Amino acid sequence: MVDTLPVFELRFYSAQWAGPALQMRHIFDEVSVDIRNYLTSLHGEDAGKLLSAVVVDVDEQPELADRFTVQAVPTIQLLDGNEPILSLVGARPKIAVRNAIIESIEKRGNIAVSTNKKE
């Protein structure tokens, strides 16, 4: 069943000089784990392969930031293939980031909506 589901990439755009981005890094790391666990709870152990998490330093990879129209850090993007389906700009609480990502995944793919998941 996992083979028929979309594969998502979660990107965190950051820079060493950006205080809010440095503070958001731990939230990105925690949310990445939460989303993998969420997908696994819905679709079994192999579902963790449905999400990759990548950190992009905009100073080291400016062409990637430009290509995906990242104009501020921190920015968290969720991509389905090469298509951004969610962009969150600026610092946000973990629960807001997590919920926005889960909502976007559920709207985009064949991902069953779980009504009893709570943080």
Side-chain angles (χ1 to χ4, degrees), residues 18-104:
L22 299 175
Q23 294 170 355
M24 283 290 295
R25 174 63 192 269
H26 76 280
I27 290 175
F28 174 79
D29 292 340
E30 291 174 7
V31 167
S32 298
V33 171
D34 289 351
I35 300 301
R36 279 194 189 99
N37 289 341
Y38 170 75
L39 292 170
T40 299
S41 74
L42 294 176
H43 299 288
E45 269 186 53
D46 288 341
K49 298 174 186 173
L50 298 176
L51 180 77
S52 64
V54 178
V55 176
V56 178
D57 185 307
V58 297
D59 292 327
E60 293 176 8
Q61 296 181 290
E63 69 288 342
L64 190 60
D66 287 345
R67 181 175 172 210
F68 288 93
T69 320
V70 174
Q71 298 177 350
V73 291
T75 294
I76 295 175
Q77 280 188 338
L78 179 66
L79 291 88
D80 182 355
N82 254 351
E83 182 184 352
I85 58 172
L86 174 70
S87 288
L88 302 173
V89 180
R92 296 165 189 249
K94 176 184 173 183
I95 192 71
V97 173
R98 181 183 178 276
N99 288 347
I101 293 168
I102 287 174
E103 183 178 317
S104 293

Side-chain angles (χ1 to χ4, degrees), residues 2 4-5 11 14-15 17 34 39 55 64-65 69-70 81 87 92-93 95-96 99 106 110-111 115-117:
V2 170
T4 65
L5 299 174
R11 288 189 187 158
S14 183
W17 48 264
D34 289 351
L39 292 170
V55 176
L64 190 60
T69 320
V70 174
S87 288
R92 296 165 189 249
I95 192 71
N99 288 347
E106 289 174 345
N110 267 338
I111 308 294
T115 57
N116 59 2
K117 292 283 176 196

